[in-house]
Amino acid sequence: MNQIGAVGLIAALVFAIYGMITGAVAGKLRSPRILKSAQRAVLGFFAMTTLAVVSLEYLILTNDFHSAYVASHSSRELPLLYKIPVLWAGQEGSLLFWTWLLSIYVALAVLLNRKKNRQLMPYIIAICMGVGTFFSLITFAVANPFNQLSLATASGVTPYAPPDGNGLNPTLQFHSMVAHPPMLYLGYVGFAVPFAFAMSALMTRQLGDNWIRVTRRWTMVPWMFLGTGIVLGGQWAYHVLGWGGYWAWDPVENASLLPWLSGTAFLHSVMIQEKRGMLKVWNMVLIIVTFFLSIFGTFLTRSGIISSVHAFAQSNIGSWFSVFLAIIAVFSLTVLFLRLDFLKSENRLDSVISRESGFLFNNWILLAAVLAVLWGTIFPIISKAVENQTVTVGPPFFNKVMVPIGLLLLFLTGAGPLLAWRKTSFQSIKRNFVAPLIFAGIVGVILFFAGVRHLYTWMSLFLCAFVAASIIGEFYKGARTRMKSSKENFFSAVYNLTMRNTRRYGGYIVHFGIVLIFVGLAGQAFRYETQGLMGPGDILRAKNYLFRCESFTSGQRANYQYERVSLAVTDDGHALTVMRPERRFFIAEQQPLSHVALRSDLARDLYVVMAGRDPDSGKAIIHVIINPLVQWVWIGGMVVLLGTILALIPSRIERQMADMHKSHAEAAEAQHVR
Amino acid sequence: MSARRFINILVLALALASIAMAAQSPADIEHDIGNKVYCLCGCVTSLNTCPHLNCEVKAEMQKIIRADLSQGKTEPEILQDLVDRYGEKVLAAPPPHGFNLTAWILPSVGLLIGLFLAVTFVRRWLRPAVQAAALSGGAPPDESVRAAVEEEMKKYVD
């Protein structure tokens, strides 16, 4: 199977190179025959990377420790659920996985555009296959997952397999870790497609709004995956790392946030181009930046250039990525520069106070956030290069810089949809803003008297109330209009309203999800923690909760030994639950890990960690954290996901518009062919 | 009670309350410092969030902080003590001096430049209003036409 996988990898590289060349030639010569050949190369690329992935999974599942990769990252006792993610647990496997996901995206792009966008497709294939060539090349030449272990003996080199593997990093043996990396990768990789559409539109001078309309979904899908991956990563950190938080501004976390932020700016900015024919150059810049940052994110995660708690696989692939990033930057900016004349704005702004300006300022804030996060992330490298000084840029820096930016963004999330396109009259501002502001004001006063005095926390919750009220107001106004005109009841009106314009109302739901996430983030200001040594019968108090140590137990499971303490918890004297934090010792990996005990409700999480044993008394070191509102972060993440899925569903209006555009595009294409 | 006396008592009560709120227990200061310094065991997280069980480096750093606290040192003095022992890399944020200042200034400068550019673009795009009016068919539309157009745009392209 090792040989089959290796052959698959070489064949994938060949198909990628062939697809890149034939795609470019088909674009240049406008040859349908060569285009067909390029399309087949894409399918071949998909088939061969699939073969390589299946081969590697087979080696992992069958404990074939002849494979250096399997011996390094798996073990016999590793449960099946955690054997599957071994594929992306190490450098070599994750790069193969990246290549495979790219092949899926490109194959889908080809299959879904067999009869559409025929002028754009050759260069789209060429660019995506160019990216595929890079990833298959480094997977083949630098980080090959099909290398075999061997022993040098007197009679020559003989294959070797250790009796067991080193096992999977214990921190990766967690359920959300099974989904988190694929989600992130689907996000990173997916931005290659809208980038390719943009570059192809530039190269073919097809710079109407067609490429924007077509790529909206191709951008939303990776944006959705990336966002989901970020939330799942937060869940993993919260449950596994044992410090009671979910976001630490770690370089690898930041690397995933960067393309998500610029992608968010792009998704908002394209609306201005669709509706007003403006910001054409800017949208090109945004998609280039987003793709660049997604490769940069992969580079940061995989190169080990910056120390990170998440950098599980590091090697010397940094120079390869640096060259590739330089190629992307030079290529895309050159093509953009050469086509600047075709990207003239079709319209002008009618008023400073308009939806267009709102989007522009939203883009300003998002890009400022990108700059701040990027600068903070790479500053240690720059400081080392300039001053030869090792500095750390962690949460105190990012919290100070990013909280005001986040609050501004939250305000625009609420204010933007209340502004009308073209021009917002004073009456309109009064009509739309007064109710949300009054509601937010009431919430603000209640919060103040309830003891919320921390400025940023108060502002965050005040703005959350404002944005939530503005979103609910939009649904209410739309539903009321439908109720009057169609005699529907309120719920039918809300449903029909949403399904009639999924993009708009899906967007509002996404915004509502962001509000919920901010509510959860604000809860961190009220976090409480305490620590104590506990033996049987000992009691630890944390605010109104009492934790009474009931018993210690220990035992062994498939791949780890554990030591568990049972804590009976009371809330103001009433029995609440029994919590059982564990300390685990993973045998194959020879690593200890704490398993957090968690009791969650919408108001707060009780988060208990057994940090170890006190060497003198033998008592358990118990760390208790009361974490308010954390669940809202996860609920908000789910709401964002649902809103995005809703916005991806074509609405009736959109289908009508698509038919209209299709007939226009076909007419234009027919004219072009003539 | 006269109004003046009432105000005096209120001011005194607020001052005492703010002093009480500002006063931190040694445990609070230790926790604050734990968020402002990194554990140097290689975990790449703050001292408070080091995920390693029984981390010796963390224990040693906490011992230094507690010893400093028991000597009555203030938070800045304890942070300086840690910097003297471990170097500036122990701080979770670069201290604002020398080249490190750029870390703090650049995001704000970027924000301001972005604002300047956004305002400049808005002004530039606004200027040829006459041209826009001419292209859209003469005089700017009145409020009722504008409202109708907005309504149509909402229906189809929002």
Side-chain angles (χ1 to χ4, degrees), chain A residues 499-548:
Chain A
M499 296 317 287
R500 189 167 183 276
N501 195 342
T502 49
R503 181 174 177 185
R504 179 179 177 187
Y505 290 96
Y508 287 157
I509 291 171
V510 170
H511 284 188
F512 193 71
I514 298 291
V515 167
L516 297 182
I517 290 174
F518 267 86
V519 169
L521 297 177
Q524 284 300 292
F526 309 102
R527 179 181 154 124
Y528 172 87
E529 51 192 294
T530 186
Q531 189 168 300
L533 298 179
M534 298 187 82
D538 286 342
I539 289 173
L540 179 67
R541 174 181 283 278
K543 285 194 164 179
N544 47 319
Y545 298 98
L546 288 182
F547 294 78
R548 185 189 151 84

Side-chain angles (χ1 to χ4, degrees), chain A residues 174-229:
Chain A
F174 185 73
H175 55 80
S176 73
M177 216 15 148
V178 178
H180 161 63
M183 290 290 153
L184 274 192
Y185 275 35
L186 279 165
Y188 284 142
V189 180
F191 284 121
V193 179
F195 170 76
F197 264 97
M199 290 299 105
S200 182
L202 284 172
M203 291 162 88
T204 55
R205 298 184 178 90
Q206 300 287 306
L207 291 162
D209 56 3
N210 183 49
W211 80 268
I212 285 277
R213 284 182 200 284
V214 174
T215 51
R216 187 179 76 85
R217 283 200 172 78
W218 285 106
T219 311
M220 280 180 72
V221 169
W223 182 86
M224 175 186 76
F225 282 128
L226 192 57
T228 308

Side-chain angles (χ1 to χ4, degrees), chain A residues 381-507:
Chain A
I381 308 170
I382 293 170
S383 173
K384 187 80 185 164
V386 175
E387 293 261 287
N388 195 25
Q389 210 174 45
T390 309
V391 294
T392 316
V393 182
F397 171 85
F398 287 105
N399 289 339
K400 218 168 245 177
V401 173
M402 290 302 292
V403 171
I405 292 177
L407 292 178
L408 264 173
L409 198 59
L410 186 59
F411 169 72
L412 284 174
T413 307
L418 299 181
L419 299 172
W421 287 99
R422 288 173 178 261
K423 185 181 180 183
T424 308
S425 63
F426 180 68
Q427 279 78 9
S428 168
I429 292 177
K430 221 166 80 178
R431 201 172 51 236
N432 292 334
F433 278 75
V434 165
L437 278 175
I438 289 175
F439 177 72
I442 293 168
V443 170
V445 169
I446 292 170
L447 287 170
F448 184 81
F449 285 107
V452 180
R453 305 290 160 84
H454 185 268
L455 181 66
Y456 282 155
T457 309
W458 184 87
M459 278 180 74
S460 177
L461 293 171
F462 170 83
L463 288 171
C464 284
F466 168 70
V467 182
S470 74
I471 294 167
I472 292 167
E474 285 293 295
F475 274 96
Y476 175 71
K477 277 185 278 183
R480 206 179 50 180
T481 311
R482 279 194 76 91
M483 284 160 72
K484 275 184 193 160
S485 61
S486 319
K487 307 284 178 229
E488 292 168 335
N489 68 45
F490 181 74
F491 295 104
S492 306
V494 169
Y495 175 78
N496 289 325
L497 178 80
T498 307
M499 296 317 287
R500 189 167 183 276
N501 195 342
T502 49
R503 181 174 177 185
R504 179 179 177 187
Y505 290 96

Side-chain angles (χ1 to χ4, degrees), chain A residues 115-116 659-672:
Chain A
K115 291 177 184 168
K116 288 184 288 183
D659 289 343
M660 200 173 80
H661 280 282
K662 195 178 158 191
S663 53
H664 283 172
E666 279 170 2
E669 198 150 317
Q671 203 171 10
H672 186 85

Side-chain angles (χ1 to χ4, degrees), chain A residues 548-568:
Chain A
R548 185 189 151 84
C549 179
E550 299 284 313
S551 62
F552 282 99
T553 44
S554 56
Q556 183 160 348
R557 296 203 183 94
N559 57 333
Y560 62 85
Q561 296 161 340
Y562 69 89
E563 202 173 19
R564 178 196 292 160
V565 56
S566 292
L567 301 167

Side-chain angles (χ1 to χ4, degrees), chain A residues 40-61:
Chain A
R40 283 179 185 149
V42 168
L43 299 180
F45 177 62
F46 165 67
M48 290 301 109
T49 48
T50 305
L51 180 69
V53 164
V54 169
S55 303
L56 189 56
E57 268 303 353
Y58 179 85
L59 294 172
I60 294 164
L61 294 175

